[in-house]
Amino acid sequence: MRKTLKKLIKGFFIVIILIVVFTTISFINHRIHLSKEDELFVYKGQMVEVNDHNMHIYVEGQGDTTLVFMSGGGTSSPMLDFKSLYSLLSDKYRVIVVEKAGYGFSDIVDVNRDIDTILSETREALSKVKIKGPYILFPHSMSGIEALHWAREYPDEIRAIIGLDIAVPESYEDYEINMPMVKLASIGANIGITRWIPGIEESDAIKYGTLTDEEIELYKVIFYRRTATKIMINEMESIKSNAIKVKENGVPDIPILIFSSNGQGTGWDEEFWKKSQKDYIEKIEFGKLVDLDCSHYVHNIEYEKIVNETKIFIDGLNKK
């Protein structure tokens, strides 16, 4: 019995030592790669100071109509994630991609992520690049909550919302986020565990989109710096209370077009996800929902169809 116990204790300490050694090697390897990748981590848009931190705003194209792209929760590089879609729109419209704190090239900070603070930072960032509304918002996933709040609080600034498989307030009523697992993922990213997992950096933007080889390389560089950042975690921890507030404020009185996925990759029950969007759009007087048979990052997969429907939708707005 004693021999067995000693073997177990010895085995336990060996495992602990191996974990410590692997973690140390991983951390050093991660830091070496980060140092080598510094020269590639160069922003493409404009950097503005908002709430004592820097936010990255990417602008492309010209036109009387301004489209503002807002990324889903945890998307490492919004600028590149939306590229396959906005590159087909920037010949006719002015396109803006807002990278919130902790996303893309924006600073990682530890600040409050209540819905009013998030919206305030987005609005201030746009004002600092001297681009005024009214805007047509293109939120993806979690940013749907911010877009709906924006349209409700400042209706003169928002002309319409074109939702890219957006979450609506009802989506979060019974949804439980596994925060311990999210925080564990954050620790893993910070010590470079992600670099040992084959293909983990292969986002849908890389798999299905139109990124160049140079852009794919940049996306991977950003991924290893902007995965499960602490402010992304703050955002996840605040999302349920934010959704409650947006629901209590009611639905916005503007045209809304939603491109709805098949529910795969959302983290929700697929049928519930689709139903929540359909139920919400029925509350909108000028609302339309387009079903897409693809997973959650619809703008990386069905970008051509989304562009065609978007142009028809915006032309309809211009005729009103």
Side-chain angles (χ1 to χ4, degrees):
M1 184 67 178
R2 287 183 178 180
K3 288 183 179 180
T4 302
L5 183 60
K6 285 182 179 180
K7 287 182 179 180
L8 288 173
I9 293 173
K10 184 179 179 180
F12 174 77
F13 279 109
I14 290 174
V15 170
I16 294 298
I17 291 170
L18 289 174
I19 290 173
V20 171
V21 170
F22 174 71
T23 300
T24 303
I25 293 172
S26 182
F27 180 78
I28 294 171
N29 176 65
H30 185 45
R31 293 297 153 183
I32 291 172
H33 276 85
L34 289 177
S35 179
K36 290 180 179 179
E37 293 162 355
D38 276 343
E39 62 183 28
L40 298 175
F41 190 68
V42 180
Y43 62 87
K44 309 296 183 181
Q46 303 176 56
M47 203 68 78
V48 296
E49 185 177 342
V50 176
N51 197 16
D52 297 324
H53 58 81
N54 292 317
M55 283 180 63
H56 180 240
I57 306 295
Y58 179 76
V59 183
E60 180 175 303
Q62 297 183 8
D64 296 331
T65 302
T66 301
L67 316 180
V68 177
F69 286 77
M70 307 158 69
S71 69
T75 299
S76 299
S77 176
M79 181 191 74
L80 294 175
D81 180 62
F82 287 122
K83 190 256 182 178
S84 298
L85 179 56
Y86 69 65
S87 64
L88 300 178
L89 293 167
S90 59
D91 61 332
K92 188 173 182 179
Y93 313 105
R94 179 165 52 181
V95 168
I96 304 173
V97 181
V98 178
E99 295 195 325
K100 295 180 289 187
Y103 290 72
F105 292 103
S106 297
D107 288 350
I108 299 174
V109 289
D110 191 4
V111 296
N112 196 301
R113 290 291 85 184
D114 69 273
I115 193 70
D116 291 305
T117 300
I118 296 173
L119 178 55
S120 174
E121 290 181 358
T122 299
R123 294 176 67 240
E124 185 177 350
L126 289 173
S127 72
K128 289 201 170 182
V129 294
K130 302 187 185 306
I131 298 178
K132 297 181 179 179
Y135 313 109
I136 296 178
L137 304 181
F138 278 71
H140 173 237
S141 195
M142 186 186 289
S143 280
I145 301 299
E146 181 187 351
L148 295 171
H149 188 58
W150 194 348
R152 185 66 180 173
E153 293 293 302
Y154 304 96
D156 292 340
E157 296 180 9
I158 308 302
R159 193 175 174 197
I161 294 175
I162 299 180
L164 303 170
D165 207 32
I166 58 171
V168 297
E170 290 76 10
S171 304
Y172 294 100
E173 287 183 351
D174 299 315
Y175 187 66
E176 295 298 330
I177 300 174
N178 189 340
M179 292 311 302
M181 185 60 68
V182 172
K183 292 179 179 180
L184 185 62
S186 179
I187 294 171
N190 286 331
I191 62 178
I193 299 296
T194 48
R195 292 188 185 270
W196 301 93
I197 305 174
I200 192 173
E201 79 285 2
E202 296 280 330
S203 67
D204 283 356
I206 294 175
K207 291 178 182 176
Y208 307 113
T210 59
L211 299 183
T212 64
D213 290 342
E214 181 182 351
E215 288 167 339
I216 290 173
E217 184 179 15
L218 177 58
Y219 198 111
K220 292 178 180 181
V221 166
I222 297 171
F223 171 82
Y224 290 119
R225 295 166 184 257
R226 297 294 186 269
T227 294
T229 61
K230 57 186 175 183
I231 196 165
M232 289 177 182
I233 292 174
N234 291 351
E235 194 175 41
M236 291 181 189
E237 289 178 327
S238 301
I239 187 59
K240 289 196 78 167
S241 58
N242 287 340
I244 290 171
K245 183 170 185 176
V246 174
K247 182 179 180 179
E248 290 175 346
N249 286 344
V251 299
D253 185 23
I254 59 167
I256 297 179
L257 169 64
I258 295 178
F259 292 98
S260 181
S261 75
N262 57 19
Q264 295 176 7
T266 61
W268 274 260
D269 173 80
E270 294 169 10
E271 291 305 316
F272 172 78
W273 177 261
K274 293 188 289 184
K275 184 177 185 303
S276 64
Q277 291 178 331
K278 290 177 180 177
D279 289 347
Y280 193 87
I281 206 69
E282 288 177 358
K283 303 173 185 177
I284 307 300
E285 184 177 358
F286 302 104
K288 180 181 179 182
L289 186 140
V290 176
D291 281 311
L292 299 174
D293 188 17
C294 67
S295 57
H296 188 41
Y297 278 74
V298 294
H299 48 283
N300 289 320
I301 305 170
E302 289 282 10
Y303 45 87
E304 291 183 347
K305 183 171 184 177
I306 292 172
V307 165
N308 293 334
E309 292 282 352
T310 289
K311 289 181 176 179
I312 294 171
F313 182 75
I314 294 176
D315 286 344
L317 296 177
N318 293 334
K319 293 176 182 178
K320 290 183 178 181

